[in-house]
Amino acid sequence: MVDAVTITAAPPVTESPLVRRLLIGISVLFLGAFLVGPLAVVFAVAFGQGILAFFASFRDPDTLSAIRLTLLAAAIAVPANLVFGVAAAWALGKFEFFGKSFLMALIDLPFSVSPVVVGLTYVLLFGAQGLLGPWLTAHNVHIIFAVPGIVLATIFVTFPFIARELLPLMASQGNDEEEAALTLGANGWQTFMRVTVPNVKWALLYGVILCNARAMGEFGAVSVVSGHIRGLTNTMPLQIEVLYNDYQFVPAFAVASLLALLALATLVIKSLVEWRVGHRKGQTA
C-alpha cells in the first residue's frame, strides 16, 4: 500500500520589490522624457503669449483650411478602410482560399514600407510625367497636388489598422454561429448584422479609433503628394511645418497642441473601449 503524498502548489515566482520599483522607475522616466516632456513643451509654447494669442492662431485662413482638409481626409479614409477592413478580416478569418497568405502579406505592407515611398509611388503613377499622368491631364483629372492624392495616400497608410484588429477575433470565433443563423433561415446580410457585427463591435470600434488617429497625423506620404500649396493641400501636420519654418512658433505650436489634443482624446476613447471589453469579459467569465 502506497502512502498518500500531499503535494502543495509552489508559490508563484515574483520579482523582488527592488526590481519592481526599478522597472517602474525606468518606465516612468522614459515616458516622462520622451512623451510627457515634449507634450508639455508643446502646450507651454502654444500658450506662452496668452490664451488670446493661442486662439488668434486659428483665425489664419490657411490654418483653418488645413484643419478642414485633415478632417476631410480622415472622414473619407476611415469609412473606406472600415469597409475594406471588415471585408478582408471576414474573408481571411472565416474562409480558406488560394492566395490567403499573399493577401495577409499585402495588408501588412504599409507597416513595412516608408510613407515617403508610398507618396513617390503615387507621383510616379498619377503625376504629370507618371504612368497615367498624360491620360489624367487630357481628361482634366487632378490627383497629385490635389485633395484626391491626399485621400489616397491617407487610405494606403491606414488600411491595415481595422483589418488587423478584426482578423484575430474573427479567426478565433470560427463559423459556428453564422452557420447556425443560416440554418435557422437568416440570409447573409441578417447573419452579418445580427451575429458577426455584435461579436466584433468592440474590436471594430478600437480599429476605427486607431485608423482615425493615424489618418489625422500622417505626414510623410501626404507631404509628397500634396505639393505644400498653402490654403489648398496643406493638412495640419504640413501646416505645422510651414509655420515653424516661417518662425511663427506660437501658431505652429497652437496647431500642434490641437493635433495633440485630438490624439489624447483618441487615447481616452481607446482606454474606455479597452475597459469596456475587459468589463464584458469579466461578466461573461
Side-chain angles (χ1 to χ4, degrees):
M1 180 175 183
V2 181
D3 294 335
V5 178
T6 302
I7 301 176
T8 58
V13 178
T14 59
E15 302 292 346
S16 67
L18 178 61
V19 174
R20 291 200 299 269
R21 294 191 188 99
L22 179 62
L23 293 175
I24 293 172
I26 292 174
S27 301
V28 171
L29 287 175
F30 187 88
L31 290 174
F34 294 100
L35 180 62
V36 179
L39 283 176
V41 171
V42 168
F43 286 99
V45 177
F47 289 95
Q49 296 182 9
I51 193 170
L52 294 179
F54 173 83
F55 286 108
S57 303
F58 297 102
R59 298 196 192 105
D60 178 30
D62 292 346
T63 298
L64 292 175
S65 174
I67 295 173
R68 286 194 296 267
L69 181 56
T70 300
L71 297 177
L72 175 63
I76 298 174
V78 173
N81 284 322
L82 176 62
V83 175
F84 167 80
V86 171
W90 198 0
L92 292 170
K94 303 290 186 179
F95 306 107
E96 294 293 333
F97 55 91
F98 177 76
K100 180 176 179 178
S101 299
F102 181 67
L103 179 57
M104 293 183 68
L106 288 180
I107 291 176
D108 291 334
L109 187 63
F111 288 139
S112 57
V113 176
S114 169
V116 175
V117 174
V118 174
L120 289 174
T121 302
Y122 279 120
V123 171
L124 293 175
L125 186 61
F126 301 116
Q129 307 300 321
L131 182 63
L132 301 177
W135 185 90
L136 293 173
T137 301
H139 291 79
N140 198 31
V141 177
H142 303 284
I143 295 180
I144 301 301
F145 305 153
V147 175
I150 294 172
V151 172
L152 286 174
T154 304
I155 290 174
F156 185 94
V157 299
T158 57
F159 77 77
F161 288 92
I162 296 177
R164 268 300 173 189
E165 286 299 323
L166 292 176
L167 182 55
L169 184 57
M170 284 191 172
S172 64
Q173 289 176 345
N175 301 325
D176 293 343
E177 294 187 21
E178 284 84 355
E179 291 175 354
L182 293 172
T183 302
L184 293 173
N187 58 36
W189 179 251
Q190 290 173 329
T191 302
F192 175 74
M193 292 302 298
R194 297 182 182 181
V195 178
T196 305
V197 171
N199 285 339
V200 301
K201 60 182 179 181
W202 295 113
L204 183 63
L205 179 59
Y206 187 67
V208 168
I209 292 170
L210 293 179
C211 181
N212 182 68
R214 183 71 173 87
M216 290 190 297
E218 173 54 30
F219 180 86
V222 171
S223 178
V224 175
V225 301
S226 70
H228 293 265
I229 305 173
R230 298 193 184 193
L232 292 177
T233 63
N234 272 353
T235 58
M236 288 174 65
L238 301 183
Q239 182 68 7
I240 293 169
E241 181 191 35
V242 169
L243 293 171
Y244 187 84
N245 290 337
D246 288 344
Y247 301 100
Q248 301 182 51
F249 297 121
V250 171
F253 281 91
V255 179
S257 67
L258 177 60
L259 200 58
L261 285 173
L262 292 173
L264 291 174
T266 301
L267 180 62
V268 171
I269 297 173
K270 169 179 169 291
S271 300
L272 290 175
V273 171
E274 290 177 337
W275 173 85
R276 179 63 177 169
V277 173
H279 182 67
R280 285 177 61 86
K281 288 182 178 178
Q283 288 181 334
T284 58

